[in-house]
Amino acid sequence: MSSIKPRLPKLPLLAVLAAAAVVPPAFADAEIDQQLLAELKLLRQELQTINTRLETIETRLNDAPAPVADPAPVADNNGWVERKASPDVLADIEADIVEGLTEDQAGELVSRLALATENQNSFSPDDTQVRLLTRIGRRHPTAVIQALDHQALDTHAGYMLNRISWTDHKALVMDRLTQSPDLVAVLIQNGWVEEAKPKLIEALGFDDSLPIEWFRAAALVAEPEDHDALTRYLAGANEWQLDDVYTTLRLKRGFDIDAAVGEAWEASRFDALNDRVAVAALAASHGYADALALLFRGLPQEQADDGRGLGFFRGGRGFDLSPRATILRVTPARGGNDELRTWFELNEDFLVFDTERRVWISDRPEAS
């Protein structure tokens, strides 16, 4: 990065004198007071001293090494380069967070934060945006709720939600809940889940991408008449949420998890392959032989050095829903993927599901 050093101009003596409305001695009237002449002489000397100092400063600047440019971001082993918002831009925004902001001005600051963040690809609760949103939100909660709708800011806004008090803004949260589902965190924090039950249950029927916290809150307050809505949500859950949704329902007292998994398995016939295989992992654990067969067919050809199958996703905080992990969990089959497939070919017609242990066993003579 090249650096242009400033040149410090000398102060032209006559120009300074003219600006001060002083006439040089050469053109002075013969009646100029001697005291004024003495002052002009002193002024000349001071200006000469200043010019000498400026020459010294300019020399030092010219001799100083050029500033070194910031090193280019270093990619990791996979070629990924972290990008963050410009600290200078964020500092400019922070300087504008002042007392007496109007709602429109607060909203504009949030929009500027979103623009500054749009190319960021790494997010942390310690990012400056979280602190700035918190400062704005303490006086202008409506503005920061809008941040949840900015794709660039929604992660930072999520970090911010529990850092401000919503006690005086309950009506606002309830009103914006459906449009901004991440506000469910505020419901949980403030104990407002029961009051929001109608909206929590209703949304399960038309939005299959709700935060998992929303589903947990809905399941917590759901009555038996609401269980159909919970079942339908399980059937429509994508592969990334499926294990969390399943685990939530499996632990809900009085909920028929076997029937729900059966409906989800039936509905998955119209799903993408990855989604259907994920549901098959659940269905195989509930006695569906065709689901187990799909898992064996879904075993990839490649295999990691430690014998784990490659391909397909792994689940979240619940079960590992990959084909291989499920097969090892619900059958006695062991070995590499080729050995697992061979075991299934030999035992498919002899498999029986043990409903108590929720595993498949083979009654084939000399089965292994």
Side-chain angles (χ1 to χ4, degrees), residues 83-90 113 116-120 129:
R83 296 191 304 272
K84 292 282 192 178
S86 164
D88 292 338
V89 173
L90 296 180
L113 276 174
T117 310
E118 63 179 2
N119 291 321
Q120 186 163 325
Q129 292 95 320

Side-chain angles (χ1 to χ4, degrees), residues 172-187:
L172 173 64
V173 172
M174 292 295 186
D175 181 61
R176 294 296 302 273
L177 182 60
T178 304
Q179 293 87 350
S180 302
D182 286 325
L183 286 173
V184 70
V186 177
L187 297 185

Side-chain angles (χ1 to χ4, degrees), residues 49 72 75 111 162 199 286:
T49 301
S111 296
N162 287 338
K199 287 189 175 184
H286 285 264

Side-chain angles (χ1 to χ4, degrees), residues 155-215:
T155 300
H156 291 129
Y159 292 139
M160 171 274 306
L161 285 177
N162 287 338
R163 298 190 181 191
I164 64 178
S165 174
W166 296 93
T167 305
D168 297 330
H169 308 290
K170 182 176 180 179
L172 173 64
V173 172
M174 292 295 186
D175 181 61
R176 294 296 302 273
L177 182 60
T178 304
Q179 293 87 350
S180 302
D182 286 325
L183 286 173
V184 70
V186 177
L187 297 185
I188 297 170
Q189 176 194 14
N190 290 276
W192 300 337
V193 172
E194 186 69 42
E195 297 171 68
K197 175 187 168 182
K199 287 189 175 184
L200 293 173
I201 299 297
E202 181 183 10
L204 297 179
F206 60 82
D207 190 344
D208 61 359
S209 59
L210 294 165
I212 188 59
E213 291 78 12
W214 183 294
F215 182 78

